[in-house]
Amino acid sequence: MKIAEGRMGKWLGILSGPILSLIAFVVSYYLDPLNFGGQKELAAIPALLFSIIVLLIGQGINTDLEIRKASMYSGQACEAVKDYLHVIKIGSPEKALQYIIGRMPSLREVDNTSFNIEGEQERASEKYYDTDTYNDSCKQIAYYSSKKLIWKDIGDSWAIDRFREIETASRRLAKGNACHYKYKLIGHKDPQMNFIILEYADDTREVLFNWDFRGIGKDPIVLLSRDHQVIEMFAIHYAQLWKRASFDHDSVATKSTSTK
């Protein structure tokens, strides 16, 4: 019904100009405002000019309405895309890590992955793991996970030493109390996405992704999304990874458990 009405309105807009132009010609011709009298041929000239002017005005108005309508629809489409995606460019991995560090006091749980392949390890170390920002983040993770923050890491063989250091520091800061830092390992070398899901104390969540140094000569730009469906997609993937991964049998937690 709405489609039919829209088509009818479109055709009325197209035909309104010629119809008004024809009416203007007939009225002007018979009223003869320039008093040509019996010379009807001459009276047709101003009538024709007047009808052309009316036609041009009508077409101009119709064109302006169509442009405004198209602009309105375009704006609505852009807003719909923005509202759905909720994707924000954070910047380099180091800048993204600074973003996370600044929010640690208000976080409740963090699910993080740390995967690298041999070809990207050197670049990732130079631009990320060997930076002061990353070293500071490890200290912050250890501190807050020794309190109430639940921090879960999944990584590969490249991440073992880093995970063990964080766990040791977290347990030392906990001073015998519960340590909320946990990690698991995946042994295979298949490439995996790197992402991190942040859950705040007020139940809101966001995911940061596109951390991987896998483009030759091109560093990643980390993206952030607060879209529920996007976050759920990553959360499901993380749950599957956690299920398939295994605990580090040489970790501090495993050793302390086995000696009891």
Side-chain angles (χ1 to χ4, degrees):
M1 187 70 179
K2 289 184 178 179
I3 295 175
E5 290 177 355
R7 289 178 178 175
M8 184 177 294
K10 183 178 180 179
W11 279 109
L12 287 175
I14 293 173
L15 296 176
S16 60
I19 292 172
L20 290 175
S21 175
L22 180 61
I23 294 173
F25 176 81
V26 173
V27 172
S28 178
Y29 180 78
Y30 283 102
L31 289 180
D32 190 14
L34 297 181
N35 297 315
F36 283 102
Q39 298 177 320
K40 291 296 183 181
E41 295 81 3
L42 295 177
I45 295 175
L48 178 62
L49 292 175
F50 183 58
S51 67
I52 291 173
I53 292 172
V54 171
L55 178 62
L56 292 175
I57 293 173
Q59 287 182 338
I61 294 173
N62 189 51
T63 301
D64 182 67
L65 291 174
E66 289 298 323
I67 291 173
R68 291 190 181 188
K69 189 184 297 183
S71 177
M72 180 184 69
Y73 289 153
S74 177
Q76 289 175 347
C78 289
E79 290 301 318
V81 170
K82 290 179 182 178
D83 291 342
Y84 179 74
L85 293 179
H86 291 293
V87 174
I88 303 169
K89 288 184 179 180
I90 297 296
S92 66
E94 187 176 1
K95 188 173 181 180
L97 193 55
Q98 291 171 349
Y99 173 90
I100 296 169
I101 292 173
R103 283 154 179 76
M104 280 196 188
S106 57
L107 292 173
R108 179 169 60 198
E109 182 172 347
V110 176
D111 295 334
N112 180 52
T113 65
S114 181
F115 297 111
N116 293 281
I117 56 177
E118 189 171 357
E120 71 180 21
Q121 179 62 27
E122 182 178 356
R123 186 62 175 171
S125 296
E126 292 174 349
K127 301 289 289 187
Y128 187 64
Y129 295 117
D130 293 341
T131 63
D132 292 337
T133 302
Y134 182 78
N135 292 330
D136 183 40
S137 73
C138 291
K139 296 176 183 177
Q140 296 293 329
I141 295 170
Y143 174 77
Y144 285 103
S145 63
S146 71
K147 306 300 180 182
K148 294 183 178 180
L149 174 63
I150 300 172
W151 188 291
K152 296 163 64 179
D153 273 326
I154 302 176
D156 50 26
S157 58
W158 299 102
I160 294 177
D161 292 338
R162 291 184 280 107
F163 290 173
R164 288 174 179 173
E165 289 177 5
I166 296 172
E167 182 187 47
T168 300
S170 180
R171 289 187 172 277
R172 184 175 62 250
L173 291 169
K175 298 179 180 178
N177 296 319
C179 171
H180 302 288
Y181 178 79
K182 297 179 180 179
Y183 71 90
K184 280 188 172 185
L185 303 171
I186 290 182
H188 60 77
K189 299 295 183 179
D190 296 334
Q192 297 283 349
M193 286 189 301
N194 282 314
F195 60 92
I196 182 168
I197 302 172
L198 309 180
E199 181 177 317
Y200 293 87
D202 62 358
D203 294 329
T204 59
R205 295 193 300 172
E206 55 190 17
V207 59
L208 288 85
F209 55 99
N210 196 46
W211 296 76
D212 306 276
F213 287 87
R214 291 171 191 170
I216 299 175
K218 185 178 180 181
D219 294 339
I221 300 296
V222 179
L223 304 175
L224 180 147
S225 177
R226 300 187 180 98
D227 184 273
H228 175 72
Q229 292 182 347
V230 174
I231 294 170
E232 281 301 308
M233 176 184 68
F234 282 102
I236 292 171
H237 183 56
Y238 191 90
Q240 293 297 322
L241 288 173
W242 187 262
K243 185 185 297 184
R244 291 170 56 193
S246 59
F247 286 106
D248 179 13
H249 298 295
D250 295 324
S251 71
V252 175
T254 304
K255 287 181 179 179
S256 62
T257 302
S258 61
T259 55
K260 290 182 180 179

